Amino acid sequence: MAQQPVLVIIGAGIGGLAAGVYAQMSGFETHIFEQHTIPGGFCTSWKRKGYLFDGCIHDLAGAGSNSPLNHLWQELCPDRLENIHYHDVITQVEDSHGHHLTVYANIDRFEAHLKSIAPEDAGVIKEYCAAARYFLAHDFYALQEATPADFLQWFPHLPFLFRWGRQSLEQVARKFKNPFLREAFPKIQYNFAGCPALVQMGFLAAQHKKEMGWPAGGSLAFAQSIARRFTRLGGQLHYHSRVRKVLVENDQACGVELEDGQQQRADWVISAGDGHTTIFKLLEGKYTNKFLRHYYTCAPDENSMNLQVSLGINRNLSGLPRAIFYHLEQPVSIAGHEVKDLEIEIYNYDPSIAPQGKSVIRLLSTSPYSYWNALGYGSEAYQQEKQKVADAFIDLLLQRFPDIRQDIEVVDVATPITSERYTASYHGLQAWYPEGQFGRILMKGISPNLPGLKRFSMTGQWSNGMMGINSVAITSRNLIRSLCKKFKMRFETTG
Ligand SMILES: Cc1cc2nc3c(=O)[nH]c(=O)nc-3n(C[C@H](O)[C@H](O)[C@H](O)COP(=O)(O)OP(=O)(O)OC[C@H]3O[C@@H](n4cnc5c(N)ncnc54)[C@H](O)[C@@H]3O)c2cc1C
């Protein structure tokens, strides 16, 4: 038998793990090197005194068996699909005067609710919900795997897609006469400022069809399942193995060197780790272009959801929506960021998250990396600031749940430095979009390959520039399929 080509993959986030599974199924000899002691990267959870705090999945695209993306998870981690929770309510936007806008996962119910809040806006509401229903027949998430032939089917609908793709939720909101809807509507899709209406509609339709949901057990269990699949297929997963250099000969990648000096040779190297580190450290900035230099020079100081306060609550919070977006009467400055709304996520639907009769609340916010870095990780000032941040968020939570303080048993704060340490991501950031570059990144990604470097690819969020474990898994699947062609092997998705 001919020798198997050797693949080395940097990073065991979902991107790296998915690449590893497809590579093993297709007959490569695959080594994944992961700096951490567990798999998952950003897709993670952590246990504190019996409570499980989750750092990632709100919604898993492709969870439902009717989803066109379901095959991905059937291929990668079928056991995680056995217990999916589908939400009836996506989120509830509230203000301090008792108004609330409930975003039902069912479009008809959502429409009726909107009209009950603002009968005067019935026309705009009808038009919006009709447009969302378009995605019941044309799957938004299927676009991620669309072939040129599939795109042809969408072609006649381009004017519709452009119309709603160019309009943000803020712009839609301005059409309402009702003052509460004008205020609340832009917040129906998490805290995603400038979110195109099209994205919310695709998401709403996927929730309506029960294509998206929460895999019981959460993010780390999800990643661990894919890691198990990889090793059972014979893949070699090396934890606690930080890559410090990509080995290159004659502008061809030929392996990696770990921090302890060990080397692993390879026929192809894939980086599924942080883009900035890969390009400017592991490859010393030798393979870049104008776009990449510009992209990484524009790194923001913060991106959304990079500060997380998790609370273990000795109370059964069932009956509440899974998420509440609570508009504060007065904005408050916390850890270098002006907090105007409290994003409250209530884990009251998965018994594995908290001991019986108890619940978890996660508060997501944003905070500048430089703010935390200046304090110095591990210093007393850093610890004190974490405590201060926890206290400030708990005070805000009391505005919505006045008597909850006595039930808070466990408090955990994860900062941008926490993300940097555990995911080795540059400043704890996820992929971002420099002004005016969203379209370019949507079409071409950030860096699936590097200019001038052969036998090397990237996958994951720094390759495609997209957020979402489904999109990084698709990118990895496509990459291994293309490598199979190069190495004249059959691309396999079972094993
Ligand atoms: C708060 C939050 C909520 C989210 N919610 C959702 C959601 O609901 N649904 C969804 O689909 N997605 C969600 N996401 C996005 C999702 O988590 C990411 O898009 C995805 O996990 C990125 O995966 P990745 O494999 O590309 O990168 P990463 O997760 O960053 O993985 C990179 C891996 O490489 C390793 N690594 C880096 N450098 C090295 C090195 N030199 N040597 C060895 N190893 C290295 C890291 O340790 C890490 O394990 C959320 C993210 C956040 C932060």
Side-chain angles (χ1 to χ4, degrees):
M1 193 177 129
Q3 240 190 347
Q4 294 171 291
V6 177
L7 284 190
V8 157
I9 299 173
I10 305 168
I14 301 300
L17 290 171
V21 170
Y22 290 117
Q24 277 303 126
M25 292 194 288
S26 303
F28 289 91
E29 176 189 325
T30 319
H31 298 258
I32 302 181
F33 293 97
E34 166 57 47
Q35 55 100 25
H36 198 358
T37 50
I38 50 172
F42 274 102
C43 185
T44 197
S45 344
W46 52 101
K47 229 170 177 144
R48 296 285 180 274
K49 298 185 184 159
Y51 291 96
L52 187 70
F53 296 145
D54 205 278
C56 179
I57 303 175
H58 312 81
D59 305 280
L60 176 68
S65 56
N66 55 341
S67 163
L69 300 187
N70 186 255
H71 72 93
L72 269 183
W73 310 123
Q74 292 288 359
E75 290 158 2
L76 295 171
C77 50
D79 63 310
R80 291 290 96 198
L81 299 177
E82 283 162 14
N83 192 358
I84 300 287
H85 181 88
Y86 301 98
H87 302 289
D88 292 332
V89 170
I90 299 172
T91 188
Q92 182 158 290
V93 185
E94 300 182 0
D95 70 12
S96 53
H97 306 291
H99 299 110
H100 69 268
L101 162 58
T102 308
V103 186
Y104 291 105
N106 178 295
I107 301 176
D108 305 331
R109 207 171 163 199
F110 182 46
E111 180 171 4
H113 175 62
L114 284 169
K115 285 180 179 165
S116 74
I117 297 174
E120 67 275 31
D121 290 314
V124 184
I125 294 167
K126 188 172 169 204
E127 188 192 24
Y128 188 88
C129 293
R133 281 190 195 93
Y134 166 90
F135 292 101
L136 296 179
H138 303 86
D139 203 283
F140 184 71
Y141 290 88
L143 268 177
Q144 294 184 326
E145 287 198 301
T147 62
D150 298 329
F151 274 117
L152 278 182
Q153 289 179 18
W154 288 77
F155 194 71
H157 310 284
L158 283 184
F160 167 84
L161 296 172
F162 277 127
R163 177 168 171 225
W164 292 105
R166 274 203 303 252
Q167 260 185 88
S168 65
L169 293 178
E170 285 86 348
Q171 284 167 314
V172 175
R174 274 182 230 128
K175 295 182 197 167
F176 294 121
K177 295 188 193 88
N178 182 284
F180 172 63
L181 269 199
R182 286 172 71 90
E183 186 67 40
F185 201 78
K187 299 163 190 169
I188 63 174
Q189 186 71 12
Y190 303 113
N191 205 358
F192 181 5
C195 176
L198 190 82
V199 171
Q200 199 283 326
M201 290 169 176
F203 179 81
L204 180 59
Q207 297 270 0
H208 178 107
K209 290 188 281 182
K210 301 210 180 312
E211 290 183 353
M212 285 184 138
W214 160 264
S219 299
L220 179 59
F222 194 82
Q224 282 169 329
S225 167
I226 308 179
R228 267 195 309 276
R229 182 112 172 85
F230 173 67
T231 50
R232 281 182 189 157
L233 285 162
Q236 297 187 47
L237 184 37
H238 311 269
Y239 289 116
H240 211 55
S241 301
R242 187 186 286 260
V243 172
R244 73 171 173 205
K245 192 175 182 178
V246 175
L247 303 172
V248 179
E249 288 167 3
N250 303 321
D251 293 328
Q252 296 197 16
C254 57
V256 293
E257 183 174 290
L258 305 184
E259 279 206 324
D260 64 6
Q262 266 189 72
Q263 294 191 347
Q264 172 67 52
R265 305 286 294 184
D267 296 297
W268 202 278
V269 176
I270 296 174
S271 175
D274 174 65
H276 186 279
T277 312
T278 300
I279 297 168
F280 298 101
K281 276 198 173 161
L282 308 189
L283 285 158
E284 298 168 335
K286 288 180 183 160
Y287 302 97
T288 65
N289 55 23
K290 201 170 153 200
F291 168 76
L292 287 174
R293 284 189 296 273
H294 173 70
Y295 182 84
Y296 285 104
T297 315
C298 291
D301 198 16
E302 60 185 28
N303 58 17
S304 64
M305 308 191 290
N306 69 349
L307 181 71
Q308 172 167 338
V309 178
S310 305
L311 306 173
I313 311 280
N314 182 11
R315 190 194 291 187
N316 183 343
L317 292 173
S318 57
L320 288 165
R322 53 82 78 118
I324 296 175
F325 204 92
Y326 186 77
H327 186 64
L328 300 169
E329 189 95 318
Q330 289 290 328
V332 183
S333 177
I334 304 179
H337 181 79
E338 191 179 60
V339 181
K340 294 182 185 155
D341 302 277
L342 200 55
E343 286 184 73
I344 310 167
E345 292 186 41
I346 302 160
Y347 293 81
N348 52 8
Y349 43 85
D350 179 351
S352 69
I353 288 284
Q356 211 183 356
K358 302 186 179 189
S359 315
V360 163
I361 285 184
R362 159 166 103 162
L363 304 166
L364 284 174
S365 190
T366 301
S367 183
Y369 171 83
S370 55
Y371 183 88
W372 294 93
N373 195 40
L375 296 171
Y377 171 72
S379 68
E380 215 179 306
Y382 179 87
Q383 291 306 337
Q384 280 170 359
E385 189 58 24
K386 275 176 65 162
Q387 185 62 51
K388 225 170 101 187
V389 163
D391 293 343
F393 275 104
I394 290 169
D395 282 347
L396 294 180
L397 190 63
L398 297 180
Q399 292 186 22
R400 176 59 178 79
F401 297 99
D403 57 349
I404 207 153
R405 192 190 293 277
Q406 73 217 35
D407 294 329
I408 300 176
E409 289 190 327
V410 184
V411 180
D412 179 87
V413 179
T415 74
I417 307 280
T418 316
S419 300
E420 184 183 48
R421 291 183 61 235
Y422 288 109
T423 69
S425 166
Y426 180 69
H427 292 186
L429 290 166
Q430 298 196 77
W432 61 86
Y433 307 104
E435 219 180 314
Q437 299 284 348
F438 181 74
R440 193 254 180 228
I441 292 174
L442 194 68
M443 300 308 289
K444 296 187 177 175
I446 300 172
S447 55
N449 306 296
L450 294 180
L453 182 60
K454 298 193 192 88
R455 295 189 170 263
F456 178 86
S457 307
M458 289 190 65
T459 190
Q461 59 174 321
W462 303 102
S463 161
N464 63 19
M466 292 295 128
M467 206 180 143
I469 54 178
N470 52 300
S471 62
V472 303
I474 290 168
T475 303
S476 295
R477 192 178 189 274
N478 291 341
L479 170 62
I480 298 303
R481 188 169 39 203
S482 75
L483 288 186
C484 283
K485 267 196 195 144
K486 280 201 175 79
F487 285 93
K488 301 198 179 357
M489 295 162 73
R490 243 170 85 118
F491 176 61
E492 298 285 353
T493 58
T494 55

